[in-house]
Amino acid sequence: MAKIAFILLCHKDPDAIIKQAQSLTAVGDYISIHFDARAKAVDFARIRKALDANPNVTFAKKRIKCGWGEWSLVQATLLATEAAVEAFPRATHFYMLSGDCMAIKSAQYAHEFLDRREVDYIESFDYFASDWIKTGWKEERLIYRHWFNERTQKRRFYAAFALQKQLGLTRAIPDDLQLQIGSQWWCLRRRTVEWILDFCRDRPDVMRFFRTTWIPDETFFQTLVRHLVPENEIDSRTLTFLMFSDYGMPVTFYNDHYDLLLSQDFLFARKISPEATELKRRLGVLYSSEGTRFQISNEGRSLYKFLTSKGRIGRRFASRFWETESSLGRERELLIVVCKKWHVAKRLLERIRQVTNVPAIEYLFNEESTALPDLGGIQSTLGKRHRHRRALMRMLFDYYETDRLIVCMDPANLDLLEDFCGDRSVTRLLEVECQFSDDYLIGHAMRVGLAGDRTPRETLARLLPTIRHDMTHESDRIRDAGFQNHARMREIDPPETNARLIADFLTIPQDRAMEIAMTDYLFAD
């Protein structure tokens, strides 16, 4: 059975470290600790006093001062790993942890999980081909030398970079290495760790290169594992559950996250809040439990995305200023013309403008080029319009200083129709049902990329029934939704019938509605 030697890098909260070490070693696992040399000596002395008698605990033979983005983090990891390899010959796996990580599964589950596959678990993606780095420097991390800490010596850091760039002092990446990047939280087999330590002794050129790269803890082990281990023995994932906010900051877990953490397909999680004492207690008990069954749903990241995008009312995530009121307003009336033939709806809207003077906007959720006033950027892209649909509509009501507004929508926009029809405002739908000739459907297929100029007639003949059925299906979905105030104006009906529908839709007299219904070439293609 697997026996894990945990490689713990920490720099604060000695009492929490002591409890963490006691919990992890209570079931027979091991731990090797590197406590940052920047931390208080009295704190390290307390840790040594509490754990020195524990045979399953060892310490790095040398403590160094660590800094974010520096080689020192890799150096500290290597020192703790060397100590673990020497002290624990029965350890089969070496698992990288920080002081704010905790197990979210039992030791029994973790050991069985590691026994299932003979692989190393480490995120490792091609440095240059992948999009793991979302923003900021990429090649600059490697081809320039970085001697200073970006956070504590910012002026020196950027001055040294600017000077090298000005003088063209770049360097080459070691020829035999394909640089990789990924999370620094890995779990490696003993054989792999021994290979890495041997490599470090045999390749001083590689060590010199990584010592002056920026953020090497995201590239050093990731690159070496890919260099030393066959690809089929690497699972490019981390076993530590972590999430980042939109601002690149790690998400912190609290007491009420216990059930969520247990349901994730990971063995550990970070970052656990120092104040989450109850969560830490429950997770500590969990690690030594036996026979515990875990229901894996793995919805953590999607839940976080949902909560941060929707906002928690009155709690952690505040809404944007334009979303403080989610309704269009009870006193307002939104009139929606729904039509698949956009040119027909646009003709209808133009005639309505002339007869009623009600502000009317064409396919604002379908066409980027729709003419809209400047609303502070919320109208600038279709993506923003869809995300902030109600806010956009409220702003349009305010801009035109009106309580009535007409817009056009495509029948495919059922989600928009459901959203607006569910609002507290009055929403009316006028669905314009058109006839679709074969020539129109062929043109539609070409516009949306289903066919081209050279598509054989036989292929088009097989395609047309499907396209026609798809358009019928969109109309059926709208009817099945059961919207209130929904009327259907049909091309095949006489103008008198359509005029009655228009009069009800716009709440205007019958004679003015007849002017609209009698519009020349309204349904012409």
Side-chain angles (χ1 to χ4, degrees):
M1 177 176 283
K3 291 185 75 67
I4 307 170
F6 294 101
I7 310 302
L8 178 64
L9 264 58
C10 48
H11 64 281
K12 61 181 180 180
D13 201 350
D15 292 333
I17 292 168
I18 293 168
K19 291 179 181 178
Q20 186 179 25
Q22 291 171 338
S23 173
L24 295 175
T25 58
V27 293
D29 286 326
Y30 311 107
I31 191 166
S32 178
I33 301 173
H34 179 277
F35 193 68
D36 195 335
R38 296 180 190 275
K40 297 177 181 178
V42 64
D43 289 342
F44 183 60
R46 189 190 312 173
I47 295 171
R48 291 296 302 250
K49 181 178 180 180
L51 299 175
D52 265 345
N54 188 330
N56 287 7
V57 177
T58 192
F59 293 86
K61 293 182 179 179
K62 178 182 178 183
R63 291 172 59 212
I64 61 172
K65 296 179 179 180
C66 296
W68 183 89
E70 291 182 8
W71 167 254
S72 55
L73 288 175
V74 177
Q75 187 179 4
T77 305
L78 290 172
L79 289 169
T81 302
E82 288 173 346
V85 169
E86 180 181 339
F88 310 126
R90 296 181 60 196
T92 61
H93 293 77
F94 294 77
Y95 197 120
M96 177 76 177
L97 290 177
S98 71
D100 51 18
C101 293
M102 287 206 70
I104 56 174
K105 298 291 186 294
S106 64
Q108 182 184 49
Y109 181 97
H111 295 154
E112 291 174 355
F113 181 95
L114 295 176
D115 282 335
R116 286 188 208 122
R117 300 173 63 200
E118 188 62 27
V119 296
D120 296 305
Y121 295 93
I122 181 170
E123 266 193 2
S124 54
F125 304 102
D126 187 281
Y127 189 94
F128 296 100
S130 72
D131 63 346
W132 202 86
I133 298 176
K134 302 298 183 184
T135 59
W137 285 358
K138 194 167 189 177
E139 186 181 33
E140 293 86 348
R141 292 192 187 188
L142 308 175
I143 64 173
Y144 296 105
R145 297 166 178 85
H146 303 279
W147 296 283
F148 305 105
N149 186 291
E150 193 267 346
R151 292 190 174 181
T152 60
Q153 299 170 291
K154 190 177 291 287
R155 292 181 65 181
R156 290 182 177 180
F157 179 89
Y158 286 106
F161 167 74
L163 181 62
Q164 293 178 79
K165 188 174 182 179
Q166 182 180 0
L167 298 176
L169 299 177
T170 60
R171 60 176 177 174
I173 298 169
D175 291 336
D176 59 335
L177 293 183
Q178 183 177 359
L179 265 291
Q180 305 286 312
I181 191 166
S183 168
Q184 64 268 53
W185 311 109
W186 41 254
C187 178
L188 304 177
R189 295 167 296 171
R190 185 181 193 90
R191 183 190 67 178
T192 302
V193 167
E194 291 173 343
W195 283 349
I196 291 173
L197 296 178
D198 290 340
F199 184 92
C200 293
R201 287 187 285 267
D202 297 340
R203 293 293 301 271
D205 59 318
V206 174
M207 302 299 282
R208 282 195 301 270
F209 172 78
F210 278 107
R211 279 193 186 99
T212 50
T213 59
W214 190 40
I215 321 182
D217 53 321
E218 294 180 348
T219 56
F220 180 79
F221 291 99
Q222 296 78 0
T223 299
L224 265 57
V225 170
R226 283 283 177 186
H227 183 74
L228 298 169
V229 179
E231 184 175 359
N232 62 351
E233 295 183 23
I234 301 173
D235 191 335
S236 186
R237 61 163 293 189
T238 175
L239 298 181
T240 298
F241 179 61
L242 66 163
M243 298 189 297
F244 290 91
S245 70
D246 292 341
Y247 302 99
M249 299 300 292
V251 174
T252 301
F253 299 108
Y254 297 90
N255 289 333
D256 58 348
H257 288 129
Y258 179 80
D259 292 325
L260 180 144
L261 291 175
L262 264 59
S263 66
Q264 307 312 306
D265 188 20
F266 296 86
L267 304 184
F268 280 74
R270 74 178 303 266
K271 303 175 67 163
I272 308 298
S273 170
E275 288 78 31
T277 53
E278 178 61 17
L279 176 61
K280 290 183 176 183
R281 184 194 66 79
R282 295 177 73 184
L283 292 177
V285 172
L286 175 72
Y287 192 71
S288 59
S289 66
E290 293 185 4
T292 305
R293 300 178 64 86
F294 297 91
Q295 191 71 34
I296 306 298
S297 60
N298 225 28
E299 81 298 344
R301 290 191 173 97
S302 60
L303 274 178
Y304 178 76
K305 183 178 180 181
F306 170 80
L307 288 172
T308 51
S309 62
K310 298 294 184 181
R312 288 197 218 168
I313 299 173
R315 293 191 67 192
R316 184 175 176 83
F317 304 106
S319 58
R320 292 176 171 87
F321 75 92
W322 57 70
E323 293 170 344
T324 54
E325 170 54 56
S326 60
S327 173
L328 303 186
R330 294 182 186 276
E331 73 286 353
R332 286 171 169 167
E333 189 174 2
L334 179 63
L335 309 177
I336 304 176
V337 175
V338 182
C339 185
K340 195 66 181 180
K341 288 187 176 181
W342 294 2
H343 59 280
V344 173
K346 290 176 181 180
R347 288 187 197 131
L348 181 61
L349 243 64
E350 181 58 32
R351 190 61 176 142
I352 289 174
R353 288 192 193 101
Q354 296 170 0
V355 174
T356 67
N357 290 322
V358 176
I361 302 171
E362 296 170 358
Y363 287 86
L364 72 166
F365 293 107
N366 302 98
E367 290 185 302
E368 196 95 57
S369 59
T370 299
L372 290 171
D374 186 353
L375 302 173
I378 196 174
Q379 84 295 338
S380 58
T381 65
L382 286 177
K384 288 186 177 180
R385 295 176 202 173
H386 277 265
R387 283 197 301 274
H388 309 298
R389 57 190 67 165
R390 293 197 185 190
L392 172 66
M393 209 63 75
R394 285 199 309 276
M395 288 182 172
L396 289 171
F397 276 109
D398 293 338
Y399 178 85
Y400 289 109
E401 298 180 346
T402 182
D403 288 334
R404 303 187 80 208
L405 185 67
I406 308 173
V407 298
C408 287
M409 292 188 192
D410 191 279
N413 299 137
L414 183 63
D415 61 323
L416 295 173
L417 298 177
E418 289 176 333
D419 192 5
F420 287 122
C421 288
D423 191 75
R424 293 198 295 266
S425 64
V426 176
T427 305
R428 301 182 189 277
L429 303 184
L430 179 63
E431 184 182 358
V432 181
E433 183 183 295
C434 301
Q435 299 299 110
F436 300 107
S437 66
D438 287 351
D439 287 341
Y440 175 84
L441 294 178
I442 291 172
H444 175 77
M446 292 182 176
R447 284 192 295 273
V448 299
L450 294 174
D453 294 336
R454 298 183 180 181
T455 303
R457 299 294 299 184
E458 296 79 9
T459 301
L460 288 172
R462 291 195 297 270
L463 189 60
L464 290 182
T466 302
I467 298 175
R468 192 182 300 276
H469 173 76
D470 187 53
M471 293 184 174
T472 303
H473 176 65
E474 289 178 351
S475 181
D476 288 341
R477 290 174 65 205
I478 294 174
R479 273 179 276 178
D480 292 341
F483 296 126
Q484 293 183 349
N485 305 319
H486 174 208
R488 293 174 64 231
M489 170 180 163
R490 304 192 302 173
E491 179 180 357
I492 61 174
D493 288 340
E496 294 78 12
T497 301
N498 289 335
R500 287 196 296 272
L501 297 173
I502 293 172
D504 291 340
F505 176 66
L506 298 173
T507 58
I508 60 176
Q510 183 73 20
D511 58 337
R512 295 172 68 191
M514 181 61 77
E515 291 182 43
I516 299 171
M518 293 294 291
T519 301
D520 290 339
Y521 309 111
L522 178 61
F523 292 99
D525 291 333

